Amino acid sequence: MKLLVTGGAGFIGSNFVHHVLDTTDHSVVVLDKLTYAGNRASLDGLPADRFELVVGDITDAALVDVLVGDADAVVHYAAESHNDNSLHDPRPFLDTNIIGTYTLIEAARKHGTRFHHISTDEVYGDLELDDPNRFTEQTPYNPSSPYSSTKAGSDLLVRAWVRSFGLQATISNCSNNYGPYQHVEKFIPRQITNVLDGVRPKLYGAGQNVRDWIHANDHSSAVLTILDKGVIGETYLIGADGEQDNKTVVETILELLGQPRDAYDHVTDRAGHDLRYAIDSTKLRTELGWRPAFQDFRAGLEDTIAWYRDHQAWWRPQKAATEARYQEQGQA
Ligand SMILES: NC(=O)c1ccc[n+]([C@@H]2O[C@H](COP(=O)([O-])OP(=O)(O)OC[C@H]3O[C@@H](n4cnc5c(N)ncnc54)[C@H](O)[C@@H]3O)[C@@H](O)[C@H]2O)c1
């Protein structure tokens, strides 16, 4: 198959491209605008006969029409993805997440191209810390931020295009990812690179907020499974039973880097900060037979720390500008 992967120079998209080229015979065309979040270097060393990067915008209907028409399937990762940025400047989130998705599904409908839409568990809002429930495919949408509301909107567009126009689409909503190639603005890489730089990590509020962590490789294998065996029109939740509160994550990073577990500072909490996300991925596991490979969060974190220690040339160019942006936003 020839896959068109949007946002393939970003964190999860680039992990997916590496995974596909390593484990299948598919070829890949990446369409990526290379915003501040996209990084050409994340795609270095891929085989030229099976891989191509097209720099462009998913809202560019003429370009999208050609690329979608030429692909056997589209896997749509491209998005504005950072909650903090969405609180300070929501407009790019509407343009890319809503109009960009609309542009892609119009082209996929025209050409009859198989489409897989990547989304987040954040569309479901949050759970109380002591709630015994987890999100399932039946949980009502209740997004909190401009980021999650635009992702929810894009999911609903895809569902409507399936129902109204017979779009050959599936959707997945995944929990929080960690692993290589994640921008240093995000929680885990920001803490790791701060400690590597001798700077004390920053924790929003008391750090009780719980996220359900999954290694990006497991997200990739789940998406390939859905592309292969997923039922058109269906939504699949992707998660690896990795619930951890933010305080424990920071303390574990410090410990794994040989620092005292309490060597961090608290900063003002994010506005509207979701308390807890938790995914029930029973449907994906029982109906499509998927299993995560990384079951041990601490071991996965150790691998991720080693990657950031060994790939300083990849993240250093972004570090100072990222911290300056946090400073401007009052979250230094
Ligand atoms: N990071 C997570 O934990 C997580 C969890 C679940 C789902 N998701 C979803 O996975 C997808 C990828 O997330 P990520 O963390 O890799 O994001 P990211 O910000 O690291 O990457 C996004 C990529 O999209 C590109 N892009 C942005 N706007 C574009 C446009 N208009 N046209 C073309 N390319 C554009 C960027 O250049 C970048 O390479 C998103 O749809 C996100 O909602 C992320």
Side-chain angles (χ1 to χ4, degrees), residues 7 9-13 31-35 37-39 56-59 76-81 96 118-120 147 151 174-177 182 186 219:
F11 164 44
I12 307 180
L31 171 59
D32 198 297
K33 189 178 172 182
L34 296 181
T35 67
N39 193 336
D57 195 316
I58 57 166
T59 63
H76 174 35
Y77 288 92
E80 285 292 338
S81 71
T96 290
I118 301 291
S119 193
T120 164
Y147 163 62
K151 290 299 293 186
C174 188
S175 61
N176 278 57
N177 285 224
Q182 187 169 28
K186 298 283 167 48
H219 189 178

